[in-house]
Amino acid sequence: MSLISHSLWLMLLMLQRWFWKNYQYVLAFYFAMEEINKDSQLLPNVTLGFHVYNAIASDHFTLWSTLLWLSGTRRQFPNYNCQTHSQFSAIIAGTTPAFSAETGTLLELYKFPQVTYGPFDSRLSDKDQYPSLYQMAPKDSTLVHAMISLLLHFGWTWVAIFTSDDLKGELFLRDLKAEMLKKGICVAFTEKLPATKIMYRPSDITFMSRIRVSSANVHILYGEVGSLITVDIAAEFYLTTGKVWVMTAKWDIVMYEMNHMLHSFHGSFSFSPRNAEVPGFRHFLRTSNPSQYPEDFYFSKLWLAFFKCSLPGSFCGKIRVCPPNTSLEFISGNIDLMTLSDSSYFIYNAVYAVAHVLHKMLLEKTETCSPEHAEHLGLLPWQLHPFLKKIEFTNSARIHISLDDKRHHMAQYDIKNTVNFPAGLGLLVKVGEFVSNSTHNQVLLINEEMIEWPVGFTETPQSVCSQSCGPGFRKIPQEGRHACCFTCIFCPERHISNQTDADQCMWCPTHEYPNRDRDRCLPKTVDFLSFTDPLGMALICTALCFSVLTAMVLGLFVRHRDTPIVKANNRALSYTLLTSLLLCFLCALLFIGRPNTATCILQQITFGLVFTVAVSTVLAKTITVILAFMITKPGQSIRWLLVSGASNFVIPICSLIQIILFAVWLGTSPPFVDTDAHSEHGHIIIVCNKGSLTAFYCVLGYLGSLALVSFTVAFLARNLPDTFNEAKFLTFSMLVFCSVWVTFLPVYHSTKGKVMVAMEVFSILASSAGLLGCIFTPKCYIILLKPERNSMPLIKKKSTHR
């Protein structure tokens, strides 16, 4: 069955305010129509025709153009179509949502399909209000994420926002602010842009003066072409250099039309959806001229405006004839018709979408109609809707196209940098791209070496309310201001912050400490009071010297054991005291070196027992002095106490009580190895933990009580008239002993780490040395230097004299 050629008409309505960049829309439409009409597979034996209408950006002209097309005559007749040879199927229209909404409301009365090529607008997706309207552009919901990614990439957290004063601007501002709040970006101020006007009052453009004094160096600009024109016009009166603008794709339309020597938007960024290169389109533009489209007087006007010449055969007598190689490729100035714009790409796809729909409809009608009716197929506009809703195809650039706005689209934006050359020549240079499959899978690529920054910046500009807090500092919000405005304070002791603009400082682990800059934790050095430590070596030498000295005194006493001064006050007690003092000096060595469980327990047991023995021996010697005096008085019958050695029982009884205390201590909470990570900066001190502090102070308190009793008894017996009475020396020795340990307690609690251990060792050595020196120094003096006083004849002589 053969098909009779039908003439199917399409209409193109567009916004045209003498922006010659827009004329590429018409050329893209011509190109698509010619490709389809030459394609033998798509709509074979069918020729597509079209009408092109120029719609001025006003409600009056929008409705006038629509009624003019519907009526088919120069006069508008609503509800009448005076065309006799045209059969229109669809309309491709609308650079702005407002224009599409106005025409869509009127065309809906006739169920005419309208495919828009302007930016996506969620209001036009309302199928209850605009059931016959289809948007070619994908959703731009990811534009907010793309802009936020750019801001975060350069660390811009203090920005101003300019949006068009309409519902779309409101929705964009709402979404942008919500996302900025999540990412910690603050808004310095917002400004609503007035729509394009014929005349401007000073108040309409004074918002540009706020930009000069604003502390924000980055401004986001979002709006339709009309609002962008307002900003560009205002820039002529308020030159704002040193500001980075982040804008939408439509800005290239305005920038290409404006011819400023100094441009406020030099170094700005614009986001445009990535469009595939349509094969053959550049060649079509390069070879096109007005002679191919004689009905289109706008093409001739463009030719004349830019080339100042006319084509051969033209009726313009005084205008020179254009050279043969004249082409759109060589248009000078800011107009770049060779680069495919977003809307031109959408127009190209829109024409193909309608063509594919017509192709499917014709195939269905051909299959269902009889051969005799095949030549009289009629297509009504409302019949295209079921097919337009489901249409899917792949264009010549191998991109999948669908008019279903609910389908998922991968968002891809090209990021372009505006470069303004002398004489007002501008250029958009691609410096990056943004790709998003979802909110969790987003990639931003930026080539910073290609970026041209605004005048006044030699490197990446900053736009922050407060300078960043470096590592080692944390932020403190400023009351009554935005979250991006803050002050920085140094992290406290044992805290660090290893990132910029930290909200809180972090604790260093126990085994680490912060460095001087408080930006990282360093491993602590394990330390203890070692034998190689200078303090440890000094204490060891002192302990060994006193141990040797004590051993020498013991040897001296054993050698002169039969002399009166050694026999006096119980020779066995003197040996016991010297031996216990020797062990006291040696037990100090248990506190030096790396602690372990055994040494921690031995430290306290040895210290407590040997000092108990030493102090109880002093008490026994004092009791011996008292007993020796008492038996010299007439009538005393207690000689048996002295002879039986009753004073010697004091030592085992006192020691037994201390042993019981130690047993309770070890049975409940014995000492153990512990670490002290805070006493010394950068060090972990291994120490012996006392375990039960109550038991420790009970042992120490018992020892102190025993020393106090010994001191009291010795003090009372200090003036007894006895030969070699050592009560005075015992009193002074116990005074020294008690003084050392009374001083030890507050000092012990005021020190930490190795110093605490050293303080304990020093107290042991000092108290032991006090006992040794006060008790045995006078006796050694007599034995070694005054031997004549250590003889029985002299003692008897003194006694007789007394």
Side-chain angles (χ1 to χ4, degrees), residues 56-66 98-99 102:
I56 308 300
S58 71
D59 297 342
H60 171 73
F61 282 103
T62 297
L63 296 176
W64 181 84
S65 298
T66 308
F99 180 83
E102 291 168 2

Side-chain angles (χ1 to χ4, degrees), residues 103-130:
T103 58
T105 302
L106 182 58
L107 294 175
E108 181 58 33
L109 300 174
Y110 306 93
K111 304 299 182 182
F112 266 108
Q114 180 185 183
V115 183
T116 66
Y117 56 87
F120 185 88
D121 191 289
S122 57
R123 293 171 296 173
L124 301 180
S125 296
D126 185 359
K127 291 304 179 183
D128 294 331
Q129 189 173 0
Y130 305 105

Side-chain angles (χ1 to χ4, degrees), residues 42-61:
L42 183 61
L43 290 176
N45 299 325
V46 176
T47 301
L48 292 180
F50 58 89
H51 281 177
V52 177
Y53 283 78
N54 180 36
I56 308 300
S58 71
D59 297 342
H60 171 73
F61 282 103

Side-chain angles (χ1 to χ4, degrees), residues 41 115 149 164 177 199-200 221 237 252 259-260 327 342 394 403 412 419 430 480 493-494 571 678 684 692 694 749:
Q41 302 298 323
V115 183
S149 298
S164 54
K177 282 187 172 181
M199 297 294 294
Y200 283 87
L221 180 58
F237 302 96
D252 64 332
N259 188 25
H260 308 320
S327 172
D342 305 332
T394 301
L403 292 180
Q412 297 183 350
V419 182
K430 180 180 176 180
E493 188 179 356
R494 295 197 293 271
R571 179 173 54 190
H678 307 297
I684 297 178
S692 173
T694 303
H749 285 288

Side-chain angles (χ1 to χ4, degrees), residues 3-9 45-49 87 362 373-379:
L3 287 176
I4 300 175
S5 175
H6 287 267
S7 179
L8 300 175
W9 297 81
N45 299 325
V46 176
T47 301
L48 292 180
Q87 185 178 358
L362 290 174
H373 293 91
E375 296 183 359
H376 302 284
L377 293 176
L379 298 178

Side-chain angles (χ1 to χ4, degrees), residues 597-634:
T597 304
T599 55
C600 287
I601 295 176
L602 287 175
Q603 284 177 7
Q604 305 306 324
I605 292 178
T606 306
F607 158 73
L609 285 180
V610 296
F611 267 89
T612 300
V613 172
V615 175
S616 60
T617 302
V618 172
L619 179 61
K621 290 176 71 66
T622 306
I623 294 174
T624 301
V625 171
I626 295 175
L627 292 177
F629 169 76
M630 293 179 67
I631 63 173
T632 59
K633 291 184 177 182

Side-chain angles (χ1 to χ4, degrees), residues 158 169 380 589 762 767:
W158 186 241
L380 299 176
L589 301 178
F762 176 78
S767 58

